[in-house]
């Protein structure tokens, strides 16, 4: 099956756009706000206009690697090589559409009942759009369906289920019992001036309905108070190499990854060493420091790990430390056995700014991405988690300056693990 994220599915309607937007800016901003899929729905355009718009929207979707679905028109979908088409009960029959489109394309089918949904699945649909959940001015001829029917559909289908019709910040929480794969939205995105923020709020509200079934922790600065150790590592690094960073540079260093620090230092001090040799030196110095120093867990960390284990929540680590480093600190602090998987970005050659490492952890834990939360102190290392559709909780750490560009990605912010918010809202849901 095609690996598509249906979480936040923006269905366009040019007539509804807020006056500060064009179709293109609206789609681009929805994507920046976390929309995972776009449907171009043009009910009044000529074929030429539809085609021209589709070409432009395809370029935006390709730029961000977001799937583009064309509403109703198989010819337009094929002409622009869209990812798929969405068909209603009165549109082209599914079997014919599949013959024309081929197996590689996504075909979504509108359904209002379990019977329709089962027929769509049997006929080879890739997903179903279920609605209208609530009456809506955007499509006045849609039959209403209930949350109960939606839940039945989700429980009886293997293919993804998205809800449509009157979905907004107020109605999303009611969808929770169905635990569907995503929401398809027109007006609650199109009509907003601040599309980025509106989309983000809708997505976060939707993601909150997923119970946390797995928690991923970063190590340095998040689970462990190891930042003073890294002060010493930096000092020893400067002494060993006979170099000196300015105060300003030291501030910036806390926001850099190891590779970036190596490249920066080698260039600045014209060091006669490779990035690999620089990393080996840091590794050696940090291993010494980890071995010789007292290492403290962040306040409340042990209690939280015990609590999560008892609740059957899967636990993982995503760290930039390699095995030799993390084994020392996790063993010294007595927490190494809590984790079902420890993923080192260095050992796996995957960046935390990329979603790959989070997809890897989710697969190994056998927990869907939507049910995972990532605790991290460095926002720069958190973009991958958001790209993978995880919830994100930042554990404040004074060493990191933060980055306003990424601030909007944060779902929760805490100072340490004693914060009641973790137990009352982040991990345990209040019904
Ligand atoms: C995701 C999704 N679900 C349902 C629809 C409605 O399709 P349809 O019934 O064909 O109505 P129109 O959108 O064509 O007016 C949809 N477009 N997307
Ligand atoms: C396009 C569409 N299809 C529906 C269905 O029930 O199949 S409801 C709908 C319109 C959804 O718009 P809004 O998010 O503004 O309510
Ligand atoms: Mg249609």
């Amino acid at each position: 099956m095609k690996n598509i994220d249906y979480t936040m599915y923006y269905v366009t309607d040019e007539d509804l756009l807020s006056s500060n937007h064009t179709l293109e800016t609206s789609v681009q901003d929805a994507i920046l706000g976390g929309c995972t899929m776009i449907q171009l729905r043009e009910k009044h355009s000529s074929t030429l206009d539809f085609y021209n718009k589709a070409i432009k929207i395809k370029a935006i979707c390709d730029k961000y690697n977001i799937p583009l679905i064309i509403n109703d028109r198989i010819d337009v979908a094929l002409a622009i090589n869209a990812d798929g088409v969405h068909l209603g009960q009165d549109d082209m029959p599914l079997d014919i559409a599949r013959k024309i489109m081929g197996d590689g394309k996504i075909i979504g089918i509108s359904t209002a009942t379990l019977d329709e949904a089962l027929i769509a699945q049997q006929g080879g649909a890739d997903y179903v759009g279920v609605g209208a959940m609530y009456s809506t001015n955007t499509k006045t001829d849609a039959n209403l369906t209930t949350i109960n029917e939606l839940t039945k559909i989700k429980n009886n289908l293997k293919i993804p289920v998205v809800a449509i019709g009157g979905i907004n910040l107020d109605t999303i929480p009611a969808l929770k019992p169905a635990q569907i794969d995503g929401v398809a939205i027109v007006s609650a995105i199109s009509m907003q001036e601040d599309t980025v923020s509106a989309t983000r709020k809708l997505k976060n509200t939707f993601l909150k309905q997923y119970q946390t079934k797995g928690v991923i922790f970063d190590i340095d600065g998040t689970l462990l108070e190891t930042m003073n150790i890294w002060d010493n590592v930096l000092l020893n690094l400067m002494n060993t190499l006979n170099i000196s960073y300015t105060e300003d540079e030291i501030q910036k260093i806390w926001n850099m990854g190891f590779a970036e620090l190596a490249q920066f230092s080698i260039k600045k001090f014209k060091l006669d060493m490779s990035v690999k040799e620089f990393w080996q030196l840091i590794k050696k110095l940090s291993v010494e420091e980890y071995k010789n120093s007292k290492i403290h867990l962040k306040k409340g960390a042990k209690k939280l790990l015990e609590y999560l284990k008892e609740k059957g929540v899967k636990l993982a680590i995503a760290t930039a430390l390699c095995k030799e480093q993390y084994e020392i600190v996790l063993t010294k602090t007595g927490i190494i056995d809590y984790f079902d998987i420890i993923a080192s970005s260095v050992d796996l050659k995957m960046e935390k700014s990329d979603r790959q490492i989070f997809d890897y952890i989710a697969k190994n834990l056998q927990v869907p991405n939507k049910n995972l939360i990532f605790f991290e102190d460095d926002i720069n290392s958190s973009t991958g988690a958001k790209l993978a559709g995880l919830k994100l909780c930042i554990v404040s750490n004074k060493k990191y300056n933060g980055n306003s560009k990424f601030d909007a990605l944060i779902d929760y912010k805490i100072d340490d693990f004693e914060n009641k918010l973790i137990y009352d809202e982040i991990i345990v849901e209040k019904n």
Side-chain angles (χ1 to χ4, degrees):
M1 192 190 307
K2 300 145 198 135
N3 186 18
I4 303 290
D5 182 353
Y6 290 90
T7 308
M8 182 55 46
Y9 188 177
Y10 176 33
V11 180
T12 66
D13 186 333
E14 207 172 3
D15 296 341
L16 293 183
L17 288 181
S18 158
S19 59
N20 62 324
H21 276 297
T22 62
L23 194 57
E24 286 111 299
T25 62
S26 160
V27 167
Q28 159 132 343
D29 284 1
I31 292 173
L32 294 176
C35 155
T36 57
M37 188 153 178
I38 300 287
Q39 180 185 137
L40 184 62
R41 181 172 177 268
E42 287 294 319
K43 300 308 277 189
H44 311 296
S45 290
S46 67
T47 300
L48 181 62
D49 280 349
F50 199 162
Y51 168 79
N52 283 333
K53 282 174 196 169
I55 289 279
K56 286 185 192 154
I57 299 303
K58 170 96 171 33
I60 297 169
C61 289
D62 283 354
K63 179 173 165 197
Y64 296 100
N65 205 14
I66 294 291
L68 172 62
I69 302 298
I70 299 293
N71 178 256
D72 291 346
R73 296 282 300 267
I74 294 177
D75 55 344
V76 176
L78 288 176
I80 66 140
N81 193 23
D83 297 279
V85 71
H86 186 93
L87 301 171
Q89 294 290 323
D90 298 327
D91 295 322
M92 180 75 78
L94 175 55
D95 56 338
I96 307 298
R98 181 59 77 198
K99 265 192 202 139
I100 301 173
M101 300 281 295
D103 285 340
K105 296 290 185 192
I106 301 164
I107 303 184
I109 300 290
S110 305
T111 60
T113 62
L114 176 58
D115 283 349
E116 282 178 359
L118 286 170
I119 291 169
Q121 173 172 273
Q122 215 156 18
D126 291 286
Y127 74 93
V128 288
V130 180
M133 299 311 306
Y134 300 92
S135 70
T136 169
N137 290 332
T138 315
K139 186 171 168 68
T140 48
D141 62 346
N143 292 326
L144 287 184
T145 194
T146 60
I147 303 278
N148 194 23
E149 194 70 14
L150 178 71
T151 311
K152 272 202 268 173
I153 293 174
K154 176 61 196 165
N155 289 342
N156 285 281
L157 260 67
K158 290 194 177 74
I159 57 174
V161 174
V162 300
I164 189 165
I167 309 294
N168 57 42
L169 283 178
D170 295 330
T171 55
I172 285 175
L175 304 173
K176 186 177 170 185
Q179 292 282 291
I180 49 173
D181 301 274
V183 277
I185 297 180
V186 184
S187 52
I189 294 180
S190 306
M191 292 168 82
Q192 303 297 319
E193 276 186 24
D194 189 346
T195 310
V196 178
S197 145
T199 310
R200 186 168 292 132
K201 274 190 203 146
L202 288 159
K203 185 173 180 182
N204 287 343
T205 306
F206 178 70
L207 286 177
K208 274 194 186 141
Q209 70 179 265
Y210 287 92
Q211 201 186 331
T212 301
K213 297 201 170 121
V215 179
I216 308 174
F217 294 93
D218 163 61
I219 297 181
D220 268 322
T222 302
L223 266 181
L224 307 181
E225 297 278 17
T226 41
M227 299 324 287
N228 58 330
I229 289 174
W230 284 97
D231 283 336
N232 291 342
V233 172
L234 201 61
L235 211 63
N236 291 341
L237 182 77
M238 290 197 278
N239 287 339
T240 310
L241 294 174
N242 205 14
I243 59 173
S244 180
Y245 299 106
T246 64
E247 275 304 310
D248 243 24
E249 286 166 347
I250 289 178
Q251 268 304 314
K252 287 191 186 125
I253 281 169
W254 299 122
N255 285 317
M256 289 183 191
F258 291 132
E260 198 185 344
L261 173 62
Q263 278 154 2
F264 166 77
S265 309
I266 290 167
K267 190 166 169 214
K268 174 172 164 114
F269 300 108
K270 300 189 176 52
L271 300 174
D272 186 19
M273 64 198 306
S274 65
V275 168
K276 194 170 169 197
E277 285 164 341
F278 191 92
W279 157 241
Q280 291 296 347
L281 177 59
I282 291 193
K283 187 166 111 177
K284 178 174 156 282
L285 296 173
S286 62
V287 164
E288 278 167 14
E289 212 44 54
Y290 279 149
K291 278 188 179 154
N292 299 330
S293 313
K294 179 125 185 72
I295 295 170
H296 299 280
L297 284 164
K298 187 126 282 142
K299 265 201 249 166
K302 188 76 174 276
K303 188 174 151 227
L304 177 62
L305 290 173
E306 276 164 10
Y307 174 83
L308 294 171
K309 255 294 180 257
E310 189 193 307
K311 290 267 171 211
V313 174
K314 295 274 179 60
L315 298 177
I317 293 275
T319 178
L321 301 181
C322 66
K323 192 167 190 231
E324 207 181 326
Q325 294 169 308
Y326 70 66
E327 275 191 346
I328 301 172
V329 286
L330 297 180
T331 308
K332 268 181 100 163
T333 47
I335 58 172
I336 196 157
D337 292 334
Y338 282 90
F339 300 99
D340 300 287
I341 172 171
I342 299 173
S344 155
S345 58
V346 179
D347 295 344
L348 290 166
K349 298 192 174 35
M350 296 174 184
E351 293 289 326
K352 274 201 275 178
S353 53
D354 196 319
R355 64 174 289 168
Q356 207 188 355
I357 191 163
F358 298 99
D359 288 332
Y360 170 85
I361 293 172
K363 197 166 165 210
N364 275 277
L365 290 181
Q366 294 185 302
V367 173
N369 295 23
K370 286 190 182 84
N371 299 95
L372 287 170
I373 183 161
F374 179 42
F375 286 95
E376 164 71 89
D377 63 331
D378 172 17
I379 185 70
N380 300 306
S381 304
S382 310
T383 47
K386 290 310 289 178
L387 287 173
L390 275 60
K391 282 174 270 188
L392 173 65
C393 181
I394 289 294
V395 186
S396 303
N397 178 342
K398 58 183 182 309
K399 284 256 157 70
Y400 291 112
N401 293 325
N403 183 334
S404 57
K405 200 171 94 189
F406 296 134
D407 275 356
L409 298 178
I410 301 170
D411 297 301
Y412 308 100
K413 205 169 190 169
I414 55 170
D415 289 331
D416 57 50
F417 297 107
E418 282 183 345
N419 193 318
K420 253 175 70 57
L421 190 70
I422 302 179
Y423 295 90
D424 289 352
E425 193 178 324
I426 303 178
I427 309 285
V428 182
E429 307 160 278
K430 272 195 172 153
N431 286 311

